[in-house]
């Protein structure tokens, strides 16, 4: 990355993307300070971590669940450019890649256009590869497309001087403890570990190891695993297919949780 430094007195940070960056499945505890039902996620955790080590952090999170890459570029990118932050994190294209008939080459072309516009502002940009889904029975069918997209992302990062968080190589995410029951979004502990990894990539000190071994879980009986598979299909897969068939999105009517750069603490 060309110039991000934790030695700055003031840092402005904007996160854009979909549910991954909004923080789905990592809810804040109910409180009067945070609206009930708002998600925290790795990006909020990262901003909080930055505030522990930098004099002043101003943070905006424009990510909205369910958004496709064209929607992110149309709805979030102009606002991110308008805010002129020092740092932008962007993870986009995942929802496109897992749709039947999508072309990772075309998705990458749109992504590259967005990166070019962000870098023209002088902002440092950090991007994410896709996860290795080989451990998930249903999602592993997209593994080849994700790998192709990841190769494009690495090339884009090289061309534009972006830092990369390589989710594919983070084997801790092959454990079910890293994931929520929907098998699509990280668990709170998964988000916490990812925030530590992003902080590490940015050069921020961290007191804990994101790659620490997971606590051992007892073996799962075959019939219990199948029951969980059936529950997952009924509660999450069928509704997801229903939204695809009807043209609906989980993000319909959802607004960004932090649309403005606001000081933390």
């Amino acid at each position: 990355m060309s110039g991000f430094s934790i030695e700055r007195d003031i840092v402005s940070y904007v996160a854009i993307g979909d549910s991954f960056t909004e923080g789905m499945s990592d809810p804040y505890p109910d409180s009067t300070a945070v609206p009930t039902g708002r998600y925290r996620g790795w990006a909020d955790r990262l901003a909080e971590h930055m505030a522990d080590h930098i004099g002043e952090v101003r943070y905006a999170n424009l990510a909205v669940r369910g958004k496709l890459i064209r929607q992110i570029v149309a709805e979030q990118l102009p606002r991110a450019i308008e805010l002129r932050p020092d740092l932008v994190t962007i993870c986009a294209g995942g929802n496109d890649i897992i749709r039947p008939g999508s072309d990772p080459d075309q998705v990458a072309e749109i992504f590259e256009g967005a990166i070019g516009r962000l870098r023209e502002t002088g902002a440092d940009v950090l991007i994410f590869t896709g996860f290795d889904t080989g451990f998930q029975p249903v999602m592993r069918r997209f593994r080849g497309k994700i790998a192709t997209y990841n190769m494009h992302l690495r090339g884009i990062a090289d061309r534009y001087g972006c830092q990369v968080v390589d989710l594919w190589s983070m084997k801790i995410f092959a454990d079910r403890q890293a994931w929520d029951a929907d098998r699509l979004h990280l668990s709170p502990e998964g988000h916490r570990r990812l925030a530590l990894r992003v902080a590490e990539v940015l050069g921020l000190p961290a007191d804990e190891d994101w790659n620490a071994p997971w606590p051992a879980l007892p073996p799962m009986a075959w019939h219990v695993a199948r029951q969980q598979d059936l529950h997952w299909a009924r509660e999450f897969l069928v509704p997801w297919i229903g939204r695809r068939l009807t043209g609906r999105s989980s993000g319909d009517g959802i607004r960004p949780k932090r649309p403005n750069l606001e000081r933390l603490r």
Side-chain angles (χ1 to χ4, degrees):
M1 196 158 60
S2 61
F4 183 77
S5 171
I6 63 172
E7 302 302 323
R8 301 174 183 176
D9 294 326
I10 300 175
V11 168
S12 55
Y13 163 40
V14 173
I16 63 178
D18 50 31
S19 60
F20 171 75
T21 302
E22 184 185 350
M24 290 286 287
S25 299
D26 183 19
Y28 276 99
D30 292 347
S31 72
T32 57
V34 179
T36 300
R38 200 184 83 180
Y39 291 99
R40 189 183 187 189
W42 67 264
D44 284 21
R45 291 173 180 268
L46 172 66
E48 294 160 7
H49 188 80
M50 292 171 67
D52 289 336
H53 300 280
I54 298 172
E56 180 178 326
V57 174
R58 299 168 182 169
Y59 169 54
N61 190 318
L62 309 179
V64 174
R65 69 198 72 171
K67 294 300 182 181
L68 301 172
I69 192 165
R70 291 185 186 277
Q71 295 171 313
I72 292 170
V73 169
E75 300 167 10
Q76 299 176 30
L77 185 64
R79 179 58 175 161
I81 292 172
E82 180 184 14
L83 292 172
R84 300 195 67 83
D86 302 307
L87 172 68
V88 177
T89 58
I90 175 171
C91 185
N95 287 326
D96 299 80
I97 295 300
I98 64 174
R99 291 197 173 201
S102 63
D103 183 344
D105 298 340
Q106 294 179 354
V107 178
E109 183 177 354
I110 299 169
F111 187 92
E112 180 163 6
I115 297 302
R117 292 172 62 186
L118 288 170
R119 291 292 284 134
E120 286 175 355
T121 70
D124 291 303
V125 179
L126 184 147
I127 69 178
F128 298 78
T129 69
F131 291 100
D132 183 352
T133 58
F135 70 99
Q136 293 185 339
V138 174
M139 296 297 290
R140 71 165 59 109
R141 68 189 330 187
F142 303 110
R143 193 169 186 243
K145 290 173 66 176
I146 295 170
T148 299
Y149 189 50
N150 284 351
M151 294 302 294
H152 281 299
L153 295 178
R154 286 195 164 279
I156 292 167
D158 288 343
R159 287 192 289 277
Y160 290 89
C162 303
Q163 190 62 277
V164 178
V165 175
D166 185 9
L167 298 175
W168 183 279
S169 69
M170 295 177 69
K171 301 307 180 185
I172 62 163
F173 291 124
D175 192 290
R176 68 177 186 267
Q177 295 175 82
W179 298 91
D180 183 56
D182 67 4
R183 305 181 184 179
L184 290 173
H185 301 107
L186 292 175
S187 65
E189 178 61 12
H191 278 286
R192 188 189 73 84
R193 287 175 178 247
L194 179 55
L196 287 172
R197 174 56 181 153
V198 179
E200 181 180 79
V201 171
L202 291 174
L204 290 161
D207 297 330
E208 299 180 79
D209 181 9
W210 60 267
N211 201 28
W214 291 98
L217 293 177
M220 184 179 295
W222 182 89
H223 73 280
V224 174
R226 299 295 74 76
Q227 288 175 349
Q228 290 190 358
D229 289 343
L230 290 172
H231 173 78
W232 172 78
R234 181 175 63 251
E235 297 297 323
F236 301 108
L237 180 61
V238 171
W240 183 84
I241 294 173
R243 289 195 297 271
R244 300 291 78 75
L245 293 175
T246 58
R248 295 177 292 118
S249 168
S250 58
D252 290 345
I254 303 294
R255 304 292 300 169
K257 63 180 181 180
R258 296 182 67 101
N260 303 307
L261 284 171
E262 299 173 347
R263 181 172 181 173
L264 292 182
R265 303 196 177 109

